[in-house]
Amino acid sequence: MLPQGVKKTFIDNPKKLANLIDLVNLPSTLREFVGQSRISRLGCFMRVWSYIKTNNLQILHATIYTNGAGMDPNNKNVVNCDQKLRSILMGKSRVELAELPALIKLHFPKDPK
């Protein structure tokens, strides 16, 4: 079940949803990583996320609180990229989780059709 705000966004602009679920032909680097020649952007992101979790690439990244009171050891907001993951994430050795969707989106054309 989608949250009401997300549901309204997709109803008002169905093209946003289509961009996430339309199948597209993948470039060779992404094709090798995913193991398919066609996949949706959402499907690709899910494969990358599964790969990160399976290979324990999400690392603890201690963040100091702004007030200096301590560190948050449960903040897993950094992915330590192995060679296979680097090939699709612009050669970066570490990636913030917030960057991940944007880096994957670079492999997909603006107009998938």
Side-chain angles (χ1 to χ4, degrees), residues 48-57:
V48 171
W49 182 249
S50 175
Y51 179 83
I52 290 168
K53 295 301 262 182
T54 302
N55 293 291
N56 294 317
L57 298 176

Side-chain angles (χ1 to χ4, degrees), residues 26-55 57 79-90 92 100 103-104 107-108:
L26 298 176
S28 61
T29 54
L30 202 52
R31 189 179 310 137
E32 291 170 12
F33 184 89
V34 173
Q36 288 180 241
S37 61
R38 292 175 54 98
I39 195 168
S40 68
R41 196 168 89 206
L42 183 59
C44 181
F45 181 80
M46 290 171 65
R47 290 274 176 99
V48 171
W49 182 249
S50 175
Y51 179 83
I52 290 168
K53 295 301 262 182
T54 302
N55 293 291
L57 298 176
V79 174
N80 195 17
C81 302
D82 63 2
Q83 192 62 36
K84 189 174 179 181
L85 200 54
R86 276 187 206 136
S87 69
I88 64 165
L89 298 180
M90 307 303 148
K92 294 186 173 197
L100 203 54
L103 289 171
I104 292 171
H107 293 282
F108 288 82

Side-chain angles (χ1 to χ4, degrees), residues 59-84:
I59 58 175
L60 287 174
H61 181 70
T63 307
I64 299 174
Y65 292 130
T66 54
N67 64 4
M71 302 187 70
D72 181 7
N74 297 319
N75 188 1
K76 294 183 174 185
N77 63 351
V78 176
V79 174
N80 195 17
C81 302
D82 63 2
Q83 192 62 36
K84 189 174 179 181

